[in-house]
Structures are given as structure tokens and as C-alpha cells.
Amino acid sequence: MLHDRAKIEVRAGRGGDGIVSFRREAHVPKGGPDGGDGGRGGNVIVRVDDSLRDLQAFRRRVHFRAERGGHGEGAQRHGAEGDPLVIGVPPGTQIERWDGTRYDLVAPGQEVTIARGGAGGRGNKRFTSAVRQAPRLSERGLEGEEGVVELHLKLLADVGLVGLPNAGKSSLIARLTRAQPKIAGYPFTTLEPNLGTLEAADRQLVIADIPGLIEGASGGAGLGHDFLAHVERTRLLVHVLDLAPLDGSDPLENHAVIDRELAEHDPRLAELPRILALSKADLVEPEVAAAAAEAWRARLAEDVAVLVTSSATREGLDELAVELLRRVPVLAPAPVEAGVDELAEYRVYRPAAAKEFDVERRGPGDFLVSGDVVDRLIARHDLENEEAQAHVERRLHRLGVIAALEAAGFTPGDDVEIGGVVFELDPGAPL
Ligand SMILES: Nc1nc2c(ncn2[C@@H]2O[C@H](COP(=O)(O)OP(=O)(O)OP(=O)(O)O)[C@@H](O)[C@H]2O)c(=O)[nH]1
Ligand SMILES: [Mg+2]
């Protein structure tokens, strides 16, 4: 089975903490503040790796965490940035973030930052001002973004097997890959495409076995249109043609039917590189098979490879595998209609709106303030530390939070909850 869906959990690194530190020198009893800042936490990045063909790796690993930022140190040393964590996905992977943002990753090397590392906290050196020469105050690092990310592989296959019903397509994919499709001696055994992976030393090719096509398929006859759509994005077609059909039909006419249907569905399909696999060779005399192959080589364009194969005896199957690997370009991304940039949808970070918080009165003497900016302010500071508390209060004043609280009926000493922390706010009270 092809693994075309996965769900993973990602967490970007937490920012390192800033620290409180004072210079120590032999002759100076108390030096100035020199606490360094914490480093930013590492991002989690998803990047297209063209050597991958499915999402199988995510069955073994579902948690992805980037490194946290280093803490600041004395002597104004800043903490190191956390290393980013890069997650490789195959071309054609669509990603949906926990907040609903979607990205289409198509071209090799294309990448997107799926979770941002938290900012580092500032050390006490940065809180020095004219009136505050020895701040005992530093910030904590912020948490990195985290959440569940869904991956969905949209690209169907590198190689499409096409042919009339009963030609032996499913038997071929069952021999070339680990796919185990239903195989039977009647037409339309295959109702849904089967995907299989051909494993080579350095890469994988995804092969699709498409339900049999019949006259009029491009117009919707038989299983028609739906399945032709599945070969649109392949890079190579293998036409599987029965050497001696049981129904006595003429292979020449059968070949023409498939050619016509492909071209009528989409002229680009007619342009795709082609291999002709003459099937069920074990059912005819070797000379007959060889002569048929010669005749087809003479008939078809020079760049069409003609192979005599049998799924029963494995004749010609190694050659077919070699030919597939040789003809599917290694690095070229799958042909896509629109430019990569049109397909890829990037998240746009907008500056915060003018109003950065909301104030709600939940009851007498009980208020809730919410909003990203105020939440971050609280997360950054240790409210047990009086200096930090005074700093937070000043910031709340400046942001207009205190004024908004007062407008909502707040009086000093009332309880206020911000960022999950409830505290008694007494702005202006001497510390
Ligand atoms: N002797 C012999 N029989 C084969 C070979 N390949 C397939 N067959 C038989 O041909 C019949 C059809 O094979 P499938 O692989 O199901 O054919 P298909 O092209 O997938 O058919 P649909 O799914 O109906 O389009 C089955 O009875 C197979 O056993 C072969 O190499 N030699
Ligand atoms: Mg089949």
C-alpha cells in the first residue's frame, strides 16, 4: 500500500531565557549589569526531498521537535539560537497546519517554516536606564509554536500502466512492486488505481495501475475519464498490450484504441514518453513474440522502447524495470500546470491590528484581559519578582490596558487574569 497520508506533531524550540547578572571585577565591589539575552528557539521546517516518494517514514516517527535557544550568560554573552529541524517530504505533498493554513510543496528544495521558534528573553543589561542602573530583571524565553500537521501526498505516480481490460496490467505491477492488486481473467477487475513502489538502490518510482480503458473512455465510457485523470501527472506511460488476446481481437486495432483515447483525453498524454510492453509472452511461441516485437519497433517512433514480457515467467521484467528507471528523469520535478509559485500558498504575517487586547469584566473585582501581546508580556516575566511586576505594570499602562480596565470598572487591588495567570493588580502602589 502506498502511504499517502500522515499526521505528525511538531514543536518549535522554546526561546532561551535572558539572565540577571552583574559584572564582577577584582577591584569593583559591585559592577554594572551584564546579563545576556536568550537565543531564539529553532524553527521546524518542511522541505521537499526528491529522493522520497511516499510518507512511509512518518509511520515510524510522528514527533518532531526543534532545539531550544540557549540561555543568556554573564559578561553579556547571548544564548545560541536553536538549530532548526528539517522534515523531508516527497514532491507533491500538501500540508495543513493546525490553524488551517495550507501549503503545496511541489518542487525539490521548496520549503516552508511550519512552526516558528519562540523569541529569546532579554537579559538585565537591556533593562538598564538612566533611572535604573542595576535592574534585577530579565525576560523568559517564549514557547515555540506547536501543533498537529497533516500531510497528504497528492502526486500520484511517476509511471502509469495503461491498456485494455484484461491486458495484464495488474499482474505486471504485482511483479514489479509489492502491490497486491486483484487479478482475474475477466475485464474490469481493477476498479480503482493501484499504486506500487519500484525500489531501486538510490530512489523509488511510483507506478500506477489504471483500470482498463475502452473505446470511448475519454468521453466517459467504461471507467473512463476518472482514471485517465490519474495518469495526467505521470512522467512515463507503459502501454500494456496483450500479444494474443483470448477474445481474438487484433492487437493492432487494440493498440490504436488506447492511443486514441489518451490523445482525446488530453493531448499532453500523447506526448509523454512511452514504453510498449507486449504481455503474456508465455502464451505464444518465442518466435512469434520476437516477430511481433520487431514489427512494433518498425511501426512505432524510434524513442518508444518495445519489450516482450510475461508476468507468468518473469521474462522481460528486469529489463522493464531498468528501462523505467532509465527513462524517468531523476531530478526533474513532475510536470505541473501552473508555476510553482502559483501552487504554493504562503502564510502572510500581518502586523498586529491597532487594538491589541480585550478587557472583560467577569464579576465584581474580577477581570480578564486577553490578546497576544499581553499574553506574551506575562509569559516573559516572573511575577514573583517585584521588579518584573513593576515593569509589567508600566507596560500595561503604556499599552492602554490599565485605562481600559478602569473604564470597565476596575479599582486598584482587584483580580486580573492575563495569559492564564491571576494576580492582584495595584498600579501605582509603592513597591
Ligand atoms: N499466462 C499468462 N497470463 C497472464 C499474464 N499476465 C496476466 N495474465 C492473466 O490475464 C488475466 C488478466 O490479468 P490482469 O493483470 O488482471 O489484467 P488487467 O490488465 O489488470 O485487467 P483489468 O484490471 O480488468 O483492466 C488474468 O487471468 C491473469 O492471470 C502472463 O504474463 N501470462
Ligand atoms: Mg487490473
Side-chain angles (χ1 to χ4, degrees):
M1 199 192 88
L2 183 92
H3 299 285
D4 64 350
R5 279 175 192 278
K7 202 183 256 193
I8 59 174
E9 283 178 43
V10 302
R11 189 200 285 176
R14 186 195 159 100
D17 298 339
I19 66 151
V20 174
S21 164
F22 295 92
R23 217 163 39 234
R24 279 171 217 276
E25 286 167 41
H27 313 292
V28 188
K30 195 165 192 237
D34 70 353
D37 303 341
R40 170 171 276 282
N43 295 332
V44 178
I45 292 167
V46 178
R47 184 185 295 159
V48 176
D49 177 346
D50 198 47
S51 70
L52 300 173
R53 278 291 172 274
D54 61 26
L55 302 175
Q56 196 169 349
F58 300 107
R59 270 158 51 98
R60 293 188 296 274
R61 185 172 173 202
V62 292
H63 295 281
F64 293 87
R65 293 184 179 170
E67 200 185 52
R68 67 167 299 161
H71 298 314
E73 290 177 48
Q76 291 187 53
R77 281 200 299 269
H78 298 320
E81 288 198 359
D83 280 338
L85 180 79
V86 178
I87 303 174
V89 295
T93 303
Q94 191 175 70
I95 301 178
E96 185 166 343
R97 246 172 67 124
W98 55 90
D99 61 356
T101 319
R102 279 202 188 171
Y103 308 88
D104 259 330
L105 293 176
V106 180
Q110 195 182 358
E111 65 176 42
V112 66
T113 298
I114 199 81
R116 294 192 169 267
R122 288 176 293 175
N124 70 332
K125 164 75 180 162
R126 305 255 241 120
F127 288 89
T128 317
S129 66
V131 295
R132 193 162 45 174
Q133 297 289 333
R136 317 201 108 269
L137 163 75
S138 63
E139 289 173 333
R140 292 186 192 137
L142 294 178
E143 294 289 349
E145 292 181 316
E146 67 176 301
V148 172
V149 176
E150 288 184 41
L151 309 177
H152 185 189
L153 184 57
K154 278 293 191 63
L155 184 75
L156 276 152
D158 298 303
V159 177
L161 300 184
V162 294
L164 290 180
N166 230 24
K169 301 176 295 299
S170 300
S171 304
L172 262 187
I173 200 174
R175 288 295 191 178
L176 291 170
T177 74
R178 270 189 287 219
Q180 295 178 324
K182 183 171 171 191
I183 294 169
Y186 51 83
F188 301 115
T189 310
T190 303
L191 300 174
E192 295 260 312
N194 298 300
L195 297 183
T197 316
L198 177 68
E199 310 272 349
D202 55 342
R203 61 190 180 122
Q204 305 174 310
L205 282 190
V206 175
I207 303 178
D209 160 32
I210 311 295
L213 302 173
I214 56 170
E215 183 102 62
S218 62
L223 298 168
H225 249 319
D226 289 354
F227 300 124
L228 280 166
H230 287 289
V231 289
E232 272 170 14
R233 283 171 86 179
T234 61
R235 303 191 258 183
L236 172 76
L237 292 179
V238 176
H239 183 163
V240 182
L241 184 70
D242 197 333
L243 269 169
L246 273 180
D247 62 6
S249 57
D250 175 13
L252 249 168
E253 175 50 25
N254 292 347
H255 184 272
V257 167
I258 298 298
D259 256 6
R260 214 158 42 227
E261 294 307 324
L262 292 174
E264 277 173 21
H265 175 74
D266 186 339
R268 279 177 317 153
L269 284 180
E271 303 295 311
L272 282 177
R274 217 49 93 73
I275 291 177
L276 178 64
L278 299 170
S279 63
K280 310 188 191 178
D282 57 290
L283 294 182
V284 302
E285 294 302 322
E287 309 79 62
V288 175
E294 268 321 302
W296 279 109
R297 285 191 192 105
R299 231 174 258 138
L300 299 174
E302 238 172 83
D303 59 350
V304 179
V306 178
L307 295 171
V308 173
T309 69
S310 164
S311 298
T313 63
R314 291 204 65 100
E315 180 186 349
L317 298 192
D318 291 341
E319 289 86 338
L320 179 56
V322 167
E323 204 60 39
L324 295 179
L325 288 163
R326 197 167 71 81
R327 287 184 181 239
V328 176
V330 176
L331 280 170
V336 284
E337 275 287 73
V340 163
D341 288 332
E342 284 169 57
L343 276 172
E345 179 191 310
Y346 292 100
R347 188 171 170 76
V348 180
Y349 288 91
R350 293 199 177 77
K355 187 160 183 271
E356 286 165 322
F357 59 86
D358 272 309
V359 168
E360 183 196 331
R361 182 173 181 275
R362 294 192 292 201
D366 181 14
F367 297 84
L368 172 70
V369 181
S370 52
D372 283 350
V373 171
V374 288
D375 285 355
R376 275 204 297 274
L377 179 65
I378 299 302
R380 277 190 177 289
H381 293 282
D382 169 14
L383 295 175
E384 302 291 310
N385 174 326
E386 288 187 347
E387 229 173 279
Q389 202 177 337
H391 172 76
V392 167
E393 285 177 10
R394 272 193 303 277
R395 294 274 297 132
L396 291 177
H397 259 299
R398 234 176 290 152
L399 286 166
V401 174
I402 304 290
L405 277 167
E406 282 168 349
F410 166 87
T411 53
D414 285 350
D415 281 346
V416 175
E417 178 180 333
I418 309 178
V421 180
V422 180
F423 56 100
E424 206 174 280
L425 190 60
D426 202 354
L431 289 172

